[in-house]
């Protein structure tokens, strides 16, 4: 483990264009449940399976049930960024890290101070009226009674979150690809890389160092320059000394 951390530090030190790609594992250390992990949302009891509730057709047909689940399970406002979010924001400030690409919708990277964040699955922080497209923040949606409605036209407000059956935002997706194409180092963390299309992002990386940090093995372990099977917080808390030296 020590050796791997040293190697990780060395890679960061030698890189000038790092891109970070993270999955649910980045936020679980903040207390946010992972959709697919064993103790995650999928195993919690609800009237419908989460995968069904978080689909476009369910939102349209059973909006009230959708929001019951959504407000109960996806309210990230009460959570705080963890050491990984904070270290990534520091690395960006120092000019090392050029972009964070995340599958998470909780907005914790921005809360930690990151500026360039590509949220490929959207964000609970952005919400729009389906009729007049007026913007609403997360506080408005999470504190509303029942179905959140537009104060201007009465239309239903929909979170800017990519639901099942919905396509990805093409601008965000191409921004993410562009960041990866230009990177010299790509750090992939907290994702098992088994879910398409997120896993396909790795194919755009042609830089020097591919670093994989995940608790369990991933299908890409054999092509990575460095693989660390450990908790993210443990790994990132160790790059403290490096960032101190960079000040
Ligand atoms: Zn409206």
């Amino acid at each position: 483990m020590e050796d791997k951390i040293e190697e990780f530090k060395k890679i960061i030190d030698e890189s000038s264009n790092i891109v970070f790609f993270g999955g649910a594992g980045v936020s679980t250390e903040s207390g946010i449940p992972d959709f697919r992990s064993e103790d995650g949302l999928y195993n919690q009891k609800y009237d419908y399976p989460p995968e069904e509730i978080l689909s476009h057709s369910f939102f349209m047909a059973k909006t009230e049930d959708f929001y019951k689940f959504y407000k109960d399970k996806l309210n990230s406002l009460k959570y705080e960024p963890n050491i990984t979010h904070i270290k990534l924001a520091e690395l960006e400030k120092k000019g090392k890290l050029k972009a964070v690409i995340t599958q998470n919708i909780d907005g914790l990277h921005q809360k930690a101070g990151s500026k360039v964040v590509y949220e490929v699955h959207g964000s609970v922080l952005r919400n729009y009226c389906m009729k007049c497209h007026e913007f609403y923040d997360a506080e408005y949606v999470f504190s509303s009674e029942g179905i959140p409605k537009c104060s201007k036209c009465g239309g239903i407000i929909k979170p800017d979150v990519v639901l099942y059956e919905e396509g990805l935002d093409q601008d965000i997706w191409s921004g993410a690809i562009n960041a990866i194409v230009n990177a010299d180092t790509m750090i992939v963390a907290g994702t098992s890389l088994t879910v398409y299309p997120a896993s396909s992002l790795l194919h755009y990386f042609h830089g020097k160092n591919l670093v994989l940090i995940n608790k369990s093995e991933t299908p890409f372990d054999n092509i990575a320059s460095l693989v660390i099977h450990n908790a993210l917080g443990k790994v990132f808390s160790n790059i403290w000394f490096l960032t101190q030296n960079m000040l």
Side-chain angles (χ1 to χ4, degrees):
M1 177 67 184
E2 292 264 299
D3 288 356
K4 295 216 166 188
I5 296 282
E6 284 310 312
E7 204 179 330
F8 184 44
K9 283 186 187 175
K10 197 167 158 257
I11 287 173
I12 291 176
D13 209 23
E14 290 169 357
S15 306
S16 57
N17 191 332
I18 303 172
V19 63
F20 177 89
F21 173 47
V26 176
S27 288
T28 47
E29 287 176 26
S30 285
I32 296 180
D34 176 0
F35 271 29
R36 291 180 176 78
S37 79
E38 278 179 31
D39 53 353
L41 281 180
Y42 282 169
N43 285 7
Q44 293 174 12
K45 290 234 161 75
Y46 230 75
D47 290 350
Y48 308 87
E51 205 162 20
E52 190 183 334
I53 299 173
L54 297 173
S55 68
H56 182 82
S57 49
F58 192 93
F59 178 87
M60 299 308 281
K62 298 189 172 85
T63 315
E64 198 166 352
D65 286 325
F66 171 90
Y67 269 115
K68 230 167 91 187
F69 177 90
Y70 180 82
K71 289 184 205 171
D72 187 27
K73 301 291 182 198
L74 299 181
N75 185 353
S76 57
L77 294 178
K78 52 191 174 188
Y79 296 98
E80 293 302 324
N82 60 54
I83 190 74
T84 303
H85 296 109
I86 292 165
K87 287 291 156 192
L88 290 169
E90 275 180 22
L91 285 171
E92 182 187 51
K93 224 174 180 178
K94 291 176 200 313
K96 287 265 176 198
L97 184 108
K98 302 301 180 193
V100 166
I101 302 162
T102 181
Q103 295 175 264
N104 300 333
I105 57 172
D106 50 47
L108 288 183
H109 284 292
Q110 290 92 333
K111 208 171 180 179
S114 286
K115 302 286 180 231
V116 183
V117 184
Y118 295 104
E119 297 162 303
V120 295
H121 291 161
S123 171
V124 300
L125 302 185
R126 298 184 299 269
N127 307 274
Y128 298 94
C129 169
M130 291 176 79
K131 242 190 202 165
C132 75
H133 306 294
E134 178 75 11
F135 171 88
Y136 288 92
D137 63 19
E139 284 86 354
Y140 185 92
V141 169
F142 286 115
S143 64
S144 64
E145 288 285 327
I147 300 171
K149 299 264 174 68
C150 177
S151 62
K152 295 206 164 148
C153 78
I156 291 172
I157 296 169
K158 188 172 181 288
D160 190 10
V161 165
V162 181
L163 301 175
Y164 292 101
E165 305 158 356
E166 291 179 344
L168 301 173
D169 181 304
Q170 283 311 306
D171 287 343
I172 293 173
W173 190 248
S174 49
I177 288 172
N178 198 42
I180 293 171
V181 165
N182 291 307
D184 56 8
T185 292
M186 183 171 184
I187 304 168
V188 182
T191 168
S192 52
L193 289 170
T194 46
V195 182
Y196 185 84
S199 56
S200 68
L201 280 174
L202 263 80
H203 298 297
Y204 294 97
F205 179 67
H206 299 293
K208 196 166 167 231
N209 306 295
L210 174 64
V211 181
L212 294 183
I213 311 168
N214 199 45
K215 276 185 187 164
S216 52
E217 285 180 16
T218 81
F220 292 87
D221 281 10
N222 58 334
I223 60 155
S225 353
L226 175 64
V227 179
I228 307 178
H229 290 147
N230 210 316
L232 270 174
K234 249 185 197 163
V235 176
F236 274 89
S237 55
N238 270 293
I239 65 164
W240 170 254
F241 298 107
L242 172 96
T243 50
Q244 281 294 88
N245 292 340
M246 282 159 59
L247 284 171

